[in-house]
Amino acid sequence: MKYHLIHKDSICTILDKARQYRSLREPDLAISICIDVFAVDGENQEALVIYILALTDQYSHQHGKVQPKKIIEAIAKLKSEFHRIYYTGIFLERKARALLKNPMSHSFAYGGLMEAIEKYEASEKMAPSHCSDPILRYNSCLRTIEKENLQPRSEFDELY
C-alpha cells in the first residue's frame, strides 16, 4: 500500500488539525500530519515547529518513545538561527522535565534545565522585540529549579 498525498492548498487547515491533536495530547497524530505535509512541502517551517513540539511532547507520556535524533535533525532544518536555538532550549527543557519524574534523576534534570536556560538566554538576545517566549521559558526553568530545590550533580570524588 502507498501513502496518499495531501493537497498543497490544504496545508494551513491540516496544520490546524496537527495543533489540535497536540492540544489533545495526541502527539503521534500530530507527527503523522506533519510527515504528510513534508511529503508535499519538505521545508515547511510551520510544520517543522509543530513536528518538533509534537516529538518533544512525547517526553511527557510515560510510554512515549522519544527519538532525540529526529528532534535534533528537525531543529537543524529550521531556517532561523533564533528558532534553532530556541527550540533546542525547548528540547533540552522537556527532556529535563521528564527526568523530574524519577527522584534519582533530579541532578541530571538540573543540568538539563541549566542547558535550556543557556539556550533561552542566547535566543532572547536575537528574538524579535515583541517576542517574550525565551524570557517566559527561562523564568519557568528557573522557577522549577527553585521549586524542586534542584542542585548540580555531585562528583564522585566528593562522595568518598
Side-chain angles (χ1 to χ4, degrees):
M1 294 182 81
K2 292 175 95 175
Y3 293 103
H4 295 208
L5 292 178
I6 61 168
H7 295 281
K8 204 167 185 175
D9 296 344
S10 65
I11 288 176
C12 286
T13 305
I14 287 170
L15 290 178
D16 286 341
K17 291 181 189 311
R19 284 186 205 87
Q20 186 175 13
Y21 281 121
R22 280 197 62 238
S23 69
L24 293 171
R25 299 180 46 83
E26 295 284 350
D28 291 342
L29 295 173
I31 290 166
S32 179
I33 289 170
C34 290
I35 291 169
D36 288 331
V37 171
F38 298 146
V40 296
D41 184 1
E43 295 186 19
N44 187 296
Q45 297 295 289
E46 198 174 348
L48 266 173
V49 167
I50 295 168
Y51 181 71
I52 291 162
L53 293 173
L55 286 170
T56 61
D57 286 343
Q58 294 176 325
Y59 277 116
S60 64
H61 290 65
Q62 284 183 328
H63 302 293
K65 294 182 180 177
V66 181
Q67 298 173 321
K69 184 178 177 186
K70 281 188 177 183
I71 298 168
I72 293 165
E73 288 170 353
I75 290 170
K77 292 178 183 177
L78 292 169
K79 292 178 181 173
S80 159
E81 183 181 6
F82 162 71
H83 285 116
R84 285 191 304 273
I85 294 171
Y86 177 73
Y87 287 104
T88 298
I90 288 190
F91 163 56
L92 294 167
E93 177 186 353
R94 289 183 171 185
K95 185 176 169 184
R97 288 184 185 281
L99 292 171
L100 289 174
K101 296 174 186 172
N102 180 350
M104 295 296 289
S105 300
H106 279 204
S107 63
F108 293 103
Y110 173 85
L113 289 170
M114 290 304 295
E115 283 183 85
I117 282 173
E118 289 174 19
K119 296 297 181 185
Y120 294 141
E121 283 182 316
S123 64
E124 180 184 349
K125 291 175 185 166
M126 58 181 72
S129 60
H130 65 281
C131 181
S132 296
D133 294 350
I135 295 169
L136 297 173
R137 302 304 300 211
Y138 173 98
N139 289 344
S140 177
C141 288
L142 193 55
R143 286 186 181 101
T144 298
I145 289 170
E146 291 170 351
K147 178 182 148 207
E148 299 292 334
N149 195 27
L150 299 178
Q151 302 293 319
R153 207 163 55 105
S154 298
E155 293 301 318
F156 291 111
D157 307 13
E158 298 173 13
L159 296 176
Y160 297 104

